[in-house]
Amino acid sequence: MKRYIKRLLEEKFSPYFIVASFLLRTGISLPFKFKSHGILLRMHPSSITLGLWRGRYSIEADRVIIDNLIREDFICFDVGANIGHLSILMAKKASSGLVISIEPQPKVFAYLLDNIQINGIENIIPINIAISEENGITEFYSFNYADDQSALVIDKQWKFKMVKVLSLRLDSLLKILKLNKIDFLKIDVEGAELLVLRSLGEYISKVRYIWFEFIEENYRKFNYNGQQLLDFLDKHRFSVYMLSESGSLYNIKDFQSLKNYSGNLLAVKNEE
């Protein structure tokens, strides 16, 4: 309660903050829709939904990458899709292509399905699974008030709910779907990025672009570091780029240039 009162004072009794806090704490969804970045979203009690509604969650970098790289016939994978906001943006760009939208949290997956429906999107295949290096059933930890930080491991002293979810390797999923390539792969899995990449197996050679979250603190939860992830990408002939505030890309030559950096990076497959 003390923490909430402190935040309330910091927010200067903002009605947006009060409504957002109420929805998160009660788990109540409202029937209203709002528009953000050209897509419709239902007022569900999720961190990203309410962050977008309040203007406190930015997807500008994601939009720049999606708008400039995805072509209309692309096969896209959104691993860690959450409420589906980026899946919908991808689907609009890949209008004659396909988006595989993957989200393991059952509750958040329901929000994703609703958002796809209210936007009238027909080229998204939503799948309620986790992606990791092994096929099977695994534990997934969903944080009560920060579902955007839920993960396969837990390292925070927050209230959480553990659920059992189906886990698949990406190469297994590609075979099930009878797909032989990924044009655009987005990964936001709270530290399990390298596990997702390894799960591609030989299909890593069939990926064109990878837009992934780079946060060293999260990687340590899975016993690896940023250098190991960059080495993996380099081994498989990817160049890595950072998106500047001006919207241009510049090549990351070594790990030292990423010290203290937290954000997204773009990996581009080098031509043979």
Side-chain angles (χ1 to χ4, degrees), residues 11 40 65 84 201 210 219 242 248:
E11 296 281 348
L40 287 173
I65 293 297
I210 306 170
Y219 294 169
M242 183 185 294
S248 58

Side-chain angles (χ1 to χ4, degrees), residues 83-100:
I83 61 168
H85 53 301
L86 297 184
S87 291
I88 293 168
L89 289 176
M90 291 179 205
K92 288 189 172 187
K93 286 291 292 183
S95 56
S96 61
L98 184 66
V99 176
I100 309 301

Side-chain angles (χ1 to χ4, degrees), residues 131-149:
I131 298 295
S132 67
E133 290 187 271
E134 296 184 5
N135 296 329
I137 304 298
T138 190
E139 295 179 350
F140 192 87
Y141 300 92
S142 181
F143 294 114
N144 292 6
Y145 307 134
D147 49 61
D148 58 324
Q149 296 185 46

Side-chain angles (χ1 to χ4, degrees), residues 16-32:
Y16 287 93
F17 173 74
I18 293 170
V19 170
S21 297
F22 173 77
L23 295 179
L24 280 175
R25 291 178 179 279
T26 61
I28 294 174
S29 291
L30 298 179
F32 312 118

Side-chain angles (χ1 to χ4, degrees), residues 140-166:
F140 192 87
Y141 300 92
S142 181
F143 294 114
N144 292 6
Y145 307 134
D147 49 61
D148 58 324
Q149 296 185 46
S150 300
L152 289 168
V153 298
I154 184 165
D155 71 334
K156 294 182 173 69
Q157 300 302 311
W158 295 348
K159 291 183 179 179
F160 67 90
K161 179 181 179 181
M162 189 277 284
V163 293
K164 297 277 189 177
V165 300
L166 175 64

Side-chain angles (χ1 to χ4, degrees), residues 168-215:
L168 286 179
R169 292 175 53 88
L170 269 182
D171 54 6
S172 297
L173 181 57
L174 282 159
K175 291 173 184 175
I176 291 169
L177 296 173
K178 296 183 179 179
L179 296 172
N180 60 12
K181 68 167 184 173
I182 300 176
D183 294 302
F184 185 87
L185 171 60
K186 172 244 153 185
I187 313 174
D188 183 351
V189 287
E190 299 305 309
E193 279 73 11
L194 185 54
L195 280 64
V196 171
L197 291 172
R198 287 172 176 164
S199 81
L200 280 161
E202 63 183 20
Y203 285 93
I204 188 71
S205 65
K206 303 296 184 180
V207 181
R208 187 180 303 191
Y209 299 113
I210 306 170
W211 179 237
F212 64 98
E213 190 172 56
F214 185 92
I215 301 180

